[in-house]
Amino acid sequence: MAAFAEADAAASAEDAEAAAAASASPSPTSPAEKQKLAKARFVANAGLAAGSTYQWIVKPYREGKFKKGVKGRRFALIKAGIAGAFAYNRLRAASENAKGDPLLSKAMGPLMAGIDSLKGLGSKLRNGDAGDADIGAFENVINSVKDAGKSVGATVTDKDPSAGELNPR
């Protein structure tokens, strides 16, 4: 029992030292640095959403890979469904990043309803139930987000994620 008491006392001393070290950590970044990082994160997340939407949803749809009877349709629909869920996730992350920059937040405010409307589109794509209007909705939201970023100096370029990056691990 004495060994347990000594070990407990030693652990408490280590915890006190760790707490003291944590309080001496460097100060958080300045507001200007936070805004710069918010824009950079916004650009990265919006770029991934735009790239995955184009590569795995819009392009195959225009090529007719989602039509019944086409070879590889099921696989194309599964990839599109995953890409749709991924794009929605990255758009939500981009909207959260935009909150760190006042101008970007103001530009993104009206787009939140459009982003939220994409929530179930991933499963709709995966099931093969998506049509022209659904694909157009994805394109419109992506283009609106890109325009909002461009209006405040955060130019979004498409980044094509690989199939492995789309895989939710």
Side-chain angles (χ1 to χ4, degrees):
M1 290 300 249
F4 287 120
E6 287 176 25
D8 192 35
S12 295
E14 288 175 11
D15 288 342
E17 287 177 28
S23 65
S25 64
S27 64
T29 57
S30 70
E33 288 173 332
K34 284 182 182 179
Q35 286 181 4
K36 187 175 181 181
L37 291 175
K39 271 188 181 179
R41 288 182 180 138
F42 168 82
V43 168
N45 284 319
L48 284 168
S52 65
T53 298
Y54 179 75
Q55 179 70 27
W56 303 103
I57 299 172
V58 174
K59 186 177 165 185
Y61 183 79
R62 288 183 182 158
E63 293 172 352
K65 292 185 178 180
F66 297 162
K67 293 183 179 176
K68 291 186 181 194
V70 173
K71 184 177 179 179
R73 176 180 186 256
R74 184 181 312 193
F75 189 57
L77 288 171
I78 291 170
K79 287 191 295 186
I82 293 169
F86 176 79
Y88 172 75
N89 180 278
R90 293 298 84 208
L91 286 172
R92 294 290 301 171
S95 66
E96 286 298 314
N97 298 140
K99 291 177 182 176
D101 182 79
L103 293 175
L104 194 52
S105 178
K106 190 174 183 179
M108 284 291 294
L111 303 176
M112 290 309 300
I115 292 171
D116 288 338
S117 73
L118 301 176
K119 187 172 188 171
L121 200 50
S123 61
K124 202 172 185 182
L125 283 163
R126 195 171 31 253
N127 294 332
D129 298 333
D132 289 338
D134 298 315
I135 303 301
F138 243 118
E139 279 187 296
N140 290 338
V141 170
I142 293 291
N143 289 333
S144 297
V145 169
K146 289 169 82 171
D147 290 343
K150 188 176 182 179
S151 72
V152 296
T155 304
V156 176
T157 55
D158 294 3
K159 181 181 180 326
D160 295 333
S162 67
E165 288 176 312
L166 293 175
N167 184 13
R169 295 182 189 148

